[in-house]
Structures are given as structure tokens and as C-alpha cells.
Amino acid sequence: MDRAQIVHDNFLRRCAAADFPEGNAPAGPLTPEGAVSIYRSGCLTRALDRTSRAMQAQGQGFYTIGSSGHEGMAAIAAALRPSDMAFLHYRDAAFQIQRAEQMSEAGAAQTITWDMLLSFACSSDDPISGGRHKVLGSKALTIPPQTSTIASHLPKAVGAAYSIGLAKRQPPEHKQLPDDAIVMCSFGDASANHSTAQGAINTSAWTAYQNIPMPLLWVCEDNGIGISTKTPTGWIAANFSTKPGIKYFHCDGLDIYDTFRAASEAAAYVRKRRKPAFLHIRTVRLYGHAGADVPTTYLAKSEVESDEANDPLLHSVRLLSEADALPPSAAIEIYEQTAKRVDRIAGEAIKRPRLQTADEVMASIVPPKRKQPPSNGPSADERQAAFGGDLKQMDSPQIMSRLINWALTDLMLEHGEIAMMGEDIGRKGGVYGVTQKLAARFGRARVIDTLLDEQSILGLGLGMAQNGFLPIPEIQFLAYYHNAEDQIRGEGATLPFFSNGQYTNPMVVRIAGLGYQKGFGGHFHNDNSFAAIRDVPGVILACPSNGADAARMLREAVRLAREEQRLVIFLEPIALYPMRDLHEAGDGEWMYPYPDPSERLPFGQVTTHGTGTDLAIVTFGNGTYLSMQAQKQLGADGINTRVIDLGWLSPLPEASLLAAVKGCTNILIVDETRRTGGLAEALMAVFSEQTDIPHSRLCAEDSFIPTGPAYAATMPSADSIVAAARTIARTAS
């Protein structure tokens, strides 16, 4: 027999016989009315789990990872405020149900049963994801939706918690959380072992240890197993009970009175002290991991039956009876009526429309635009105070790194919601000096020196964006991005998709990358592959080739984040940071004056250098620099070229690019990324499908980059561009 049916039958039989599992007497501050409300949420959780399995069996439901055994999370919801942002474990239906009840009691009526069944049915009427996935989440309940990537939501919980203190001092235009709010983040005992979870919890402790406000309540739901792998007895307590900077609380999640007491104490501690706490809640897992999972294939039947005998709803009925809050007969009636109501509503939910077309599915990949108050920019006095003597140098040519620094300064002056975070960006001014003076200009709360953990850096940004800030995280090197790319792929990019545009992650991620650094680092500091970025739907990838364009594009990136709520990755070519000369030493032709703060390079617009029609060289980043060196040599050979700097790499600026190559006899793509998986593959497809112009490519080899004299041996050079162009010219003639 199906374990869900066994648990159901056992509950009814044992309640009728008053055969309850043993436990402590009801104690603590939970009122009778509150206890009954929590029990009702548990009954609804159980009914939804059972109905979801029936829906799947009928081909009308598509998700069966249930919350049965974790009904105690309703008591934790009852101990918090609906305005406390909650990042939930996927077994936390009881929490969301109880929070909906809190809102209804406060006069904001909710239709939680209908809403969750629409989600089970993947109906396009589902109010959170629009039918894209069964996720917990609700804008009205301050619960951003979470998918199932293990522990990936923990780093942004740290960011959201940090943002509360900063928002109190400097409120952003789109502030979401009250000044006295806390953030709750829940996860399972198996997920607690994931490096992402360990890093995030460590970051919260590291922050609190320095007396920086971190009002964050971690909730670890310990059911003792992750799919089929057991958690060693006592492991969670041993791992987290003595962690510096975090206060440890424990409760029995089978006892709603004990859980409410411990959660109330933990929440009060976090709210008053503005420090993190770790609430370790005992739970059991009923029915196995998911619908198709048979727990008796990897657990002894006696172990499965032991957990079933400790059914949290049985404990709740006993506790309610002992507290004279609800007799068992009434508890049974609530349970049965809830099940009938869920089945009836499910019959209607499965009739609601579902997504049918690619356009419908993709409608929320790009978030909605939002109105922003007009800004005249910083005043002359504000700029004078910030820039000081740098103002006098803005009309003279400067290197790229300095122009980016000035652009960041102007942007932070104009937009108080901008905050930067990254390794060494504050006191040191960044590894390449790009962020020098910014901490002094804007304070350490807005220019944050983080610990060395890229997941925490990106999570800090993602979480702060949840509270109205516009984060600009920095990843020191492109190779380091790969340590944390799921924060963008699995969290940042998917949030608007799985919330139907209700939640977004507007931010600009600065990454120093690409190759051509002389004598430093090898492939860890010279990474010429960004395929993992281009592969993520909805993410914009920008890459300037010179300082003036970098300033203009950075302003446009911030506009895209502020006004269009986009997630932009701004890739800065390391080798071009200090570049001064183009053709010969001392010519200064790769330095530019600082563009007027009003100037931007619009999203999707390419930049063309030259008007030649014999050959269009399509490139970006270091390739633009090398191609313009080659352009001079080719002109002397009588080959007239134009160099087209893409700038915006994903999505490709196809319309502007096709207009730029119009009238050219040939196209040469110069791509410093690798031949396999590089940008040239997409460009070749564009030109093959949309033009009749002969085209070819010059790419980097499928290789990592070495340290030493061969640092550029695997990538295009000015000489190889000249040679390729000459071959094209000979073939054309």
C-alpha cells in the first residue's frame, strides 16, 4: 500500500482510539486559538500533499515533493511577522499556509488553497509562477519564490538581512522591508552540508562577529535524511551550536507549542539584537523524498514506521486535547473536512488554463520596467566634494580603469541606492585600482569589503536587490565567477521567471576578465571563456574595449538595472585597464577624456571605427584593440576596413550589427574566446542566416592560457588578423 495512504489511515484510526504518541505536555505562550490555527495549517498541508499525488496519477499534477512531517513550520510562521521576508525550503508549505492565515486575520483575505492547487496543476493562473513551476512563494506574503537548487537561496538571505540596516540609514526608492524586520531562511539538514549553505552561514557569522547588523534567522529542518543518505545523529547540533556570532536555538517540530516558544524566542533575539540565530527544528519525513520514491528500498521498514508513528498531526491532536483547546473528535472533523475541500477545489483547479506556447513560457524572462523618479544628477558642489582634484583632469585623456572609477563615482552620487561589494574593493581600491577612493567617498556600508567567497558576494547583491537597492558586486577575475555562477543562473536570472515578474534582481555585476595579461596569473587570472554567462536566459552581457565606452556603457548598464530591472554582467578586459598606446609607444591613442555624465552607449548599439568596405572586422574587447592595430597595416596594403566593436555581447545586437556590415565585401570575426563555445559560433550563424556576405572567423584555440612568454600564443594577435585579412583579400580577388 502507498505510504501516504498508510499514514492517512493510521491518523484516523489512532485519533479515534485516542492512541497518541508520547510527548511533553503543552507549554509556552501559544494561545488555544493560535494552536488550533496552526493545526488547521498542518491539516491543509497534509491534504495538499495527498491531493498532489492523486493529481499526478491522473496526469493533472506535476510536483509531489511534499511537506508532510514538516507541519511544525506553521508554528514558526506564527511566531514571525508577515513583513519578515522568508526564503523557504521546498518542504515549507505549512509556513506559507500559516502566513496566509495571518494575513487573512489581519484583514487581507488570501485564497491559499486555490493558489497552491493552481501551482500544483501548473496553471497559468497560478499567482506566483504563472504556471512555470510548482514553487512556494507569494508577493503578498513577502515570500520570494525558490526553486530546488540545493541551498542556493541562503546567500541572498544574507544580503536581504544586511540591506535592512543600510536601508534604515539610506532608504532606497523601492524599499520593501520595515526597519525592524528580520529575514528568515529555512533549509534541510542535508542541504546544511552543501558548500553554498556553509558559506552563507559563515558569512552571516563573519558579519555579525564584527558587530555589523545581520537580523537573520536560519531555520534548519532536521528530518535526519537527504533523499536516501542519513544525517549522522547529532551532526547539526555539533556543527552549528557553537558557531561564533550565531546564537543557537532548538525545538521539537513535532510539538507545536515547543516550536512556537523556541521560534518566538529566536525571532525576538534576532529582532532586538540584530544578530543571526540558528533554529534547529526536529522534523520527520513522511512518504519518502518525492512521489516516486519508495523509502523502504533504502530504509528498514521499522525506521519508516517509526517516523510514521511520530506523525506531527497526531502529536498536535494530543497537545490540543491536553490543552483543552480542541477535542480529538473536532480535530478529526477539521482533518476530514479539509481533505474534502482540497479535493473539491482541485477538481476546479485542473480545469484552469496552462501555458501552451514558447512566447507564453518566456514572457517573464525579461522583467517588467518600473518607473523611476527623474534625476538631474549630482550637483556641481557634490561632484567637487567627491572628486576633488580629479575634476581638473577629466578633459585630458585617461586610461580605462580611471574612467570606470569616475563613472562609478558619478553613478553613486546620483543614485543613493547603489551599493558595491567585493573582495578588496574598499580600503585597497580593488586589485587593479578601479575602485580607489570609493570607500572614502561613500562609506564602508556602501562600498563593502567582503570575505573571499564569490557565492556570498553575488548573494549579498541578490538579497540587497530584494529590498530596493541597486547592487554592483565585483568578481575579481572571470575564472572566479565559475565558483558561484549558480547564483546568477539558478537564482538571479530565474527569479523573475518563476515569479511572473513580481520579484526581480536588478543589478550590475562587474567582472575583470579575458586574456592578454603579460606575465601574470595563467588561466586563473586570464580566462577567455564567458559561455556560462551567455547561456543564461535574460542576462545581459556587456564588454567595453576602451575607457570612454566603458563609462558610457556602465551608465547604460545602471539604467537597465534601475529602469528595466535587468541583471547585467559588465565584463572589463583586464589587459586594457592600463592601456595607453595603440600603434607605438607614447602615442596615447588608447586613452580618452571622461565623457560627459549625460552620455550613454545605448543597449544593443554597436560602435564602428572606419568606413572601409573591403572588409568588416567584427570583434569586441581586446579584439577591438588588436583589430584597430591591424586596420592601419591593412590600409597600407590597400585593404580598406571598418572595425565593428560589438560592446553588447548577449543578447547579440543583431539589428545594429547587420546595419554596420551592410555594403561590405567580406566579414572577418575576431573572437578572443575559444573556437568551441565562443562568441564567433553565434556570429557565424547570424551572418549565415541573415546575409549573403562571405564571412570567416579567427578565434582563440580550445586551450587554457599559460603564464609566461606564451601568454597570448593561443589567441588572436594583430599579426594573425592581418594575415587572415590578406588571405580573404586574395581569395576575393
Side-chain angles (χ1 to χ4, degrees):
M1 185 185 294
D2 176 63
R3 302 312 304 185
Q5 186 64 42
I6 291 173
V7 171
H8 171 71
D9 292 344
N10 284 346
F11 174 83
L12 293 176
R13 175 181 54 79
R14 293 184 66 182
C15 281
D19 176 20
F20 299 118
E22 294 182 359
N24 293 328
L30 184 60
T31 65
E33 296 79 11
V36 172
S37 175
I38 291 168
Y39 171 70
R40 287 182 179 276
S41 294
C43 289
L44 179 52
T45 300
R46 185 68 56 86
L48 286 168
D49 278 0
R50 295 183 63 240
T51 297
S52 72
R53 289 165 176 256
M55 290 169 66
Q56 186 179 55
Q58 299 161 10
Q60 298 290 353
F62 309 94
Y63 191 90
T64 57
I65 295 182
S67 301
S68 294
H70 291 239
E71 289 87 355
M73 290 300 297
I76 292 179
L80 301 178
R81 300 173 185 172
S83 55
D84 293 331
M85 185 167 280
F87 298 93
L88 297 183
H89 180 37
Y90 54 74
R91 294 195 188 279
D92 286 354
F95 184 101
Q96 181 160 318
I97 291 166
Q98 184 63 34
R99 178 161 283 191
E101 179 62 23
Q102 287 177 298
M103 293 291 288
S104 293
E105 290 173 357
Q110 302 292 308
T111 54
I112 189 65
T113 306
W114 175 244
D115 294 348
M116 295 187 79
L117 285 167
L118 289 172
S119 191
F120 282 128
C122 285
S123 168
S124 53
D125 289 343
D126 166 25
I128 186 59
S129 78
R132 292 170 181 85
H133 199 286
K134 168 62 189 80
V135 290
L136 296 173
S138 167
K139 185 70 173 178
L141 303 180
T142 326
I143 303 174
Q146 303 305 315
T147 55
S148 298
T149 306
I150 296 174
S152 64
H153 59 300
L154 273 69
K156 66 181 181 183
V158 177
Y162 174 84
S163 76
I164 295 172
L166 181 57
K168 185 176 181 179
R169 299 191 299 275
Q170 186 158 341
E173 174 72 19
H174 298 284
K175 177 180 175 180
Q176 299 292 309
L177 301 177
D179 291 343
D180 62 348
I182 69 173
V183 171
M184 189 281 277
C185 181
S186 56
F187 50 94
D189 54 292
S191 295
N193 299 301
H194 198 281
S195 60
T196 307
Q198 292 283 331
I201 295 168
N202 179 69
T203 300
S204 70
W206 182 86
T207 305
Y209 190 76
Q210 301 172 79
N211 294 317
I212 299 170
M214 181 55 60
L216 176 56
L217 176 60
W218 298 115
V219 177
C220 180
E221 301 168 51
D222 187 357
N223 61 24
I225 195 166
I227 304 184
S228 66
T229 302
K230 292 183 180 180
T231 298
T233 302
W235 171 246
I236 296 299
N239 201 353
F240 298 103
S241 62
T242 58
K243 202 163 189 65
I246 301 181
K247 186 162 178 73
Y248 176 84
F249 295 83
H250 178 268
C251 65
D252 182 357
L254 311 184
D255 181 335
I256 58 176
Y257 287 83
D258 185 52
T259 301
F260 182 80
R261 173 201 57 76
S264 298
E265 291 173 1
Y269 171 86
V270 174
R271 204 177 304 278
K272 180 179 180 181
R273 301 288 298 277
R274 315 311 284 173
K275 290 182 178 293
F278 188 98
L279 176 57
H280 180 194
I281 173 174
R282 173 203 177 194
T283 61
V284 295
R285 189 185 73 185
L286 303 180
Y287 313 165
H289 175 68
D293 186 42
V294 181
T296 50
T297 61
Y298 50 83
L299 290 174
K301 186 178 180 182
S302 59
E303 292 180 283
V304 175
E305 291 176 340
S306 176
D307 276 348
E308 292 173 350
N310 260 322
D311 182 344
L313 290 187
L314 282 171
H315 279 280
S316 292
V317 175
R318 174 185 64 79
L319 288 162
L320 289 167
S321 177
E322 291 177 3
D324 292 328
L326 189 74
S329 59
I332 294 173
E333 185 177 2
I334 290 172
Y335 178 89
E336 292 182 324
Q337 288 180 349
T338 300
K340 291 177 182 177
R341 179 166 57 90
V342 168
D343 284 342
R344 174 177 54 79
I345 296 173
E348 296 301 316
I350 62 175
K351 299 175 185 177
R352 302 307 301 159
R354 297 184 173 108
L355 300 173
Q356 299 291 331
T357 68
D359 285 345
E360 289 175 339
V361 171
M362 296 168 63
S364 62
I365 288 177
V366 175
K369 297 180 180 180
R370 67 180 176 189
K371 292 183 178 180
Q372 290 286 356
S375 171
N376 294 322
S379 68
D381 289 344
E382 289 172 326
R383 296 189 81 227
Q384 177 64 57
F387 284 109
D390 286 354
L391 278 176
K392 297 178 181 179
Q393 303 179 54
M394 289 185 175
D395 291 333
S396 60
Q398 304 290 334
I399 59 175
M400 177 190 281
S401 59
R402 197 165 204 200
L403 294 183
I404 293 174
N405 177 276
W406 290 348
L408 288 168
T409 300
D410 266 329
L411 287 164
M412 293 187 77
L413 283 172
E414 183 173 4
H415 306 301
E417 71 270 28
I418 291 178
M420 298 180 60
M421 60 284 299
E423 301 167 16
D424 303 311
I425 69 167
R427 188 182 301 277
K428 186 177 187 295
V431 232
Y432 294 95
V434 180
T435 57
Q436 285 181 2
K437 302 180 182 179
L438 293 181
R441 290 167 179 164
F442 301 104
R444 302 296 292 276
R446 288 183 68 195
V447 183
I448 307 162
D449 273 324
T450 67
L451 72 179
L452 275 64
D453 178 14
E454 286 75 23
Q455 291 193 101
S456 292
I457 293 169
L458 293 177
L460 179 60
L462 293 171
M464 290 182 69
Q466 299 296 286
N467 198 23
F469 285 96
L470 198 162
I472 305 184
E474 177 185 291
I475 302 297
Q476 275 188 2
F477 297 100
L478 179 57
Y480 298 177
Y481 168 78
H482 304 299
N483 297 336
E485 61 190 42
D486 190 55
Q487 286 298 301
I488 300 299
R489 184 200 67 83
E491 289 292 339
T494 61
L495 187 59
F497 182 72
F498 287 126
S499 70
N500 210 13
Q502 296 172 83
Y503 282 100
T504 59
N505 280 303
M507 67 186 213
V508 179
V509 183
R510 293 181 49 250
I511 306 178
L514 303 175
Y516 298 99
Q517 282 196 94
K518 297 180 181 179
F520 178 68
H523 80 278
F524 282 114
H525 301 95
N526 292 263
D527 185 353
N528 64 332
S529 174
F530 46 68
I533 298 172
R534 290 184 56 242
D535 182 58
V536 182
V539 170
I540 294 172
L541 175 61
C543 179
S545 64
N546 63 71
D549 282 353
R552 296 185 184 103
M553 292 177 70
L554 188 56
R555 295 166 188 160
E556 176 70 351
V558 167
R559 186 200 67 79
L560 287 164
R562 291 186 74 246
E563 298 179 11
E564 301 188 22
Q565 304 196 83
R566 300 300 297 270
L567 199 164
V568 185
I569 294 184
F570 196 76
L571 182 60
E572 301 166 7
I574 298 172
L576 297 178
Y577 275 152
M579 194 63 66
R580 296 172 177 271
D581 307 321
L582 178 59
H583 298 295
E584 57 188 35
D587 67 18
E589 291 189 25
W590 211 249
M591 296 193 297
Y592 296 85
Y594 181 58
D596 185 89
S598 64
E599 294 182 22
R600 292 181 287 104
L601 182 59
F603 174 47
Q605 179 176 305
V606 303
T607 302
T608 303
H609 303 276
T611 58
T613 58
D614 295 336
L615 180 66
I617 303 177
V618 177
T619 187
F620 62 93
N622 293 288
T624 301
Y625 176 78
L626 298 170
S627 296
M628 291 183 69
Q629 288 181 328
Q631 185 178 45
K632 184 176 181 179
Q633 297 181 53
L634 293 170
D637 290 348
I639 302 173
N640 296 315
T641 65
R642 66 181 65 172
V643 176
I644 300 168
D645 184 359
L646 291 167
W648 304 99
L649 306 185
S650 184
L652 281 173
E654 292 187 17
S656 181
L657 174 59
L658 293 171
V661 300
K662 190 173 183 181
C664 291
T665 304
N666 286 280
I667 298 171
L668 173 64
I669 299 164
V670 175
D671 180 8
E672 62 184 288
T673 61
R674 299 166 195 160
R675 183 175 184 84
T676 301
L679 188 65
E681 290 183 337
L683 291 167
M684 291 289 283
V686 169
F687 294 135
S688 294
E689 294 168 356
Q690 301 192 48
T691 76
D692 296 322
I693 306 171
H695 49 276
S696 57
R697 56 178 171 157
L698 176 63
C699 306
E701 301 294 337
D702 288 341
S703 172
F704 299 109
I705 297 173
T707 303
Y711 70 93
T714 63
M715 295 179 290
S717 65
D719 289 343
S720 66
I721 295 169
V722 169
R726 287 172 177 166
T727 300
I728 292 170
R730 285 196 301 270
T731 304
S733 62

Coordinates of all heavy atoms in Angstrom, one line a residue, residues 684-713:
M684 N 28.7 33.6 -36.6 CA 28.7 32.9 -37.9 C 27.3 32.5 -38.2 O 26.9 32.6 -39.4 CB 29.6 31.7 -37.8 CG 31.1 31.9 -37.6 SD 31.8 32.6 -39.1 CE 32.0 31.0 -40.1
A685 N 26.5 32.1 -37.2 CA 25.1 31.7 -37.5 C 24.3 32.9 -38.0 O 23.5 32.8 -38.9 CB 24.5 31.1 -36.3
V686 N 24.5 34.1 -37.3 CA 23.8 35.3 -37.7 C 24.1 35.7 -39.1 O 23.2 35.9 -40.0 CB 24.1 36.5 -36.8 CG1 23.6 37.8 -37.3 CG2 23.6 36.2 -35.4
F687 N 25.4 35.7 -39.5 CA 25.7 36.1 -40.9 C 25.3 35.1 -41.9 O 24.9 35.4 -43.0 CB 27.2 36.3 -40.9 CG 27.7 37.5 -40.1 CD1 28.8 37.5 -39.3 CD2 27.0 38.7 -40.1 CE1 29.2 38.5 -38.6 CE2 27.4 39.8 -39.4 CZ 28.5 39.7 -38.6
S688 N 25.3 33.8 -41.5 CA 24.9 32.7 -42.5 C 23.4 32.8 -42.7 O 23.0 32.6 -43.9 CB 25.2 31.3 -41.9 OG 26.6 31.1 -41.8
E689 N 22.6 33.1 -41.7 CA 21.2 33.1 -41.8 C 20.6 34.4 -42.4 O 19.5 34.4 -43.0 CB 20.6 32.8 -40.4 CG 20.9 31.4 -39.9 CD 20.5 31.2 -38.5 OE1 20.1 32.2 -37.8 OE2 20.7 30.1 -37.9
Q690 N 21.4 35.5 -42.2 CA 20.7 36.8 -42.5 C 21.5 37.7 -43.5 O 21.1 38.8 -43.8 CB 20.6 37.6 -41.2 CG 19.7 36.8 -40.1 CD 19.3 37.7 -39.0 OE1 18.8 38.8 -39.2 NE2 19.5 37.2 -37.8
T691 N 22.6 37.2 -44.0 CA 23.3 37.9 -45.1 C 23.9 37.0 -46.1 O 23.9 35.8 -45.9 CB 24.5 38.7 -44.5 OG1 25.6 37.8 -44.2 CG2 24.2 39.4 -43.2
D692 N 24.3 37.6 -47.2 CA 24.9 36.8 -48.3 C 26.4 37.2 -48.4 O 27.1 36.9 -49.3 CB 24.3 37.2 -49.7 CG 22.8 36.7 -49.7 OD1 22.6 35.6 -49.2 OD2 22.0 37.4 -50.3
I693 N 26.9 37.9 -47.4 CA 28.3 38.4 -47.3 C 29.2 37.2 -46.9 O 28.9 36.6 -45.9 CB 28.5 39.5 -46.4 CG1 27.5 40.7 -46.7 CG2 29.9 40.1 -46.4 CD1 27.5 41.8 -45.7
P694 N 30.3 36.9 -47.7 CA 31.2 35.8 -47.2 C 31.8 36.2 -45.8 O 32.1 37.4 -45.6 CB 32.3 35.8 -48.3 CG 31.6 36.4 -49.5 CD 30.6 37.4 -49.0
H695 N 31.9 35.2 -45.0 CA 32.4 35.5 -43.6 C 33.2 34.4 -43.1 O 33.1 33.2 -43.5 CB 31.2 35.8 -42.7 CG 30.2 34.7 -42.8 ND1 29.1 34.8 -43.7 CD2 29.9 33.6 -42.0 CE1 28.3 33.7 -43.6 NE2 28.8 33.0 -42.5
S696 N 34.2 34.7 -42.3 CA 35.1 33.7 -41.7 C 35.4 34.2 -40.3 O 35.0 35.3 -39.9 CB 36.3 33.5 -42.5 OG 37.0 34.7 -42.7
R697 N 36.1 33.3 -39.5 CA 36.4 33.7 -38.1 C 37.8 33.4 -37.8 O 38.5 32.4 -38.3 CB 35.5 32.9 -37.2 CG 35.5 31.4 -37.3 CD 34.6 30.7 -36.3 NE 34.4 29.3 -36.6 CZ 34.1 28.4 -35.7 NH1 33.8 28.8 -34.5 NH2 34.0 27.1 -36.0
L698 N 38.3 34.2 -36.9 CA 39.6 34.0 -36.3 C 39.4 33.9 -34.8 O 39.0 35.0 -34.2 CB 40.6 35.1 -36.7 CG 42.0 35.1 -36.0 CD1 42.8 33.9 -36.5 CD2 42.8 36.4 -36.4
C699 N 39.6 32.8 -34.2 CA 39.3 32.6 -32.8 C 40.5 32.2 -32.0 O 41.6 31.8 -32.5 CB 38.2 31.5 -32.6 SG 36.8 31.7 -33.6
A700 N 40.3 32.2 -30.7 CA 41.3 31.6 -29.8 C 41.2 30.0 -29.9 O 40.2 29.5 -30.3 CB 41.1 32.0 -28.3
E701 N 42.4 29.4 -29.6 CA 42.4 27.9 -29.6 C 41.6 27.4 -28.4 O 41.3 28.1 -27.4 CB 43.8 27.4 -29.5 CG 44.7 27.9 -30.7 CD 44.3 27.3 -32.0 OE1 43.6 26.2 -32.0 OE2 44.6 27.9 -33.1
D702 N 41.2 26.1 -28.5 CA 40.5 25.5 -27.4 C 41.5 25.1 -26.3 O 41.9 23.9 -26.2 CB 39.7 24.3 -27.9 CG 38.5 24.6 -28.7 OD1 38.1 25.8 -28.6 OD2 38.0 23.8 -29.5
S703 N 42.0 26.1 -25.6 CA 43.1 25.9 -24.7 C 42.9 26.8 -23.5 O 42.3 27.9 -23.6 CB 44.4 26.2 -25.4 OG 45.5 26.2 -24.4
F704 N 43.5 26.4 -22.4 CA 43.7 27.4 -21.3 C 44.8 28.3 -21.6 O 45.6 28.0 -22.5 CB 43.9 26.6 -20.0 CG 42.7 25.7 -19.6 CD1 42.9 24.3 -19.7 CD2 41.5 26.2 -19.2 CE1 41.8 23.5 -19.3 CE2 40.5 25.4 -18.8 CZ 40.6 24.0 -18.9
I705 N 45.0 29.3 -20.8 CA 46.0 30.3 -21.0 C 47.2 30.1 -20.1 O 47.0 30.0 -18.9 CB 45.4 31.7 -20.9 CG1 44.3 32.0 -21.9 CG2 46.5 32.8 -21.0 CD1 43.6 33.3 -21.7
P706 N 48.4 30.1 -20.6 CA 49.6 29.8 -19.8 C 50.1 31.1 -19.2 O 49.8 32.2 -19.6 CB 50.6 29.2 -20.8 CG 50.3 30.0 -22.1 CD 48.8 30.1 -22.1
T707 N 51.0 30.9 -18.2 CA 51.7 32.0 -17.6 C 53.1 32.1 -18.4 O 53.6 31.1 -18.9 CB 52.0 31.8 -16.1 OG1 50.8 31.6 -15.5 CG2 52.8 32.9 -15.5
G708 N 53.6 33.3 -18.5 CA 54.9 33.4 -19.1 C 54.9 34.0 -20.5 O 53.8 34.5 -20.9
P709 N 55.9 33.8 -21.3 CA 56.0 34.5 -22.6 C 55.0 34.0 -23.6 O 54.6 34.8 -24.5 CB 57.4 34.1 -23.1 CG 58.2 33.8 -21.9 CD 57.2 33.2 -20.9
A710 N 54.4 32.9 -23.4 CA 53.4 32.4 -24.3 C 52.0 32.8 -23.9 O 51.0 32.2 -24.3 CB 53.5 30.8 -24.4
Y711 N 51.8 33.8 -23.1 CA 50.5 34.2 -22.6 C 49.5 34.5 -23.6 O 48.3 34.3 -23.4 CB 50.7 35.5 -21.7 CG 51.0 36.7 -22.5 CD1 50.0 37.6 -22.9 CD2 52.3 37.1 -22.8 CE1 50.3 38.7 -23.6 CE2 52.6 38.2 -23.5 CZ 51.6 39.1 -23.9 OH 51.9 40.2 -24.6
A712 N 49.9 34.9 -24.8 CA 48.9 35.2 -25.9 C 49.0 34.3 -27.1 O 48.3 34.5 -28.1 CB 49.2 36.7 -26.4
A713 N 49.8 33.2 -26.9 CA 50.0 32.3 -28.1 C 48.8 31.6 -28.6 O 48.7 31.3 -29.8 CB 51.1 31.3 -27.7

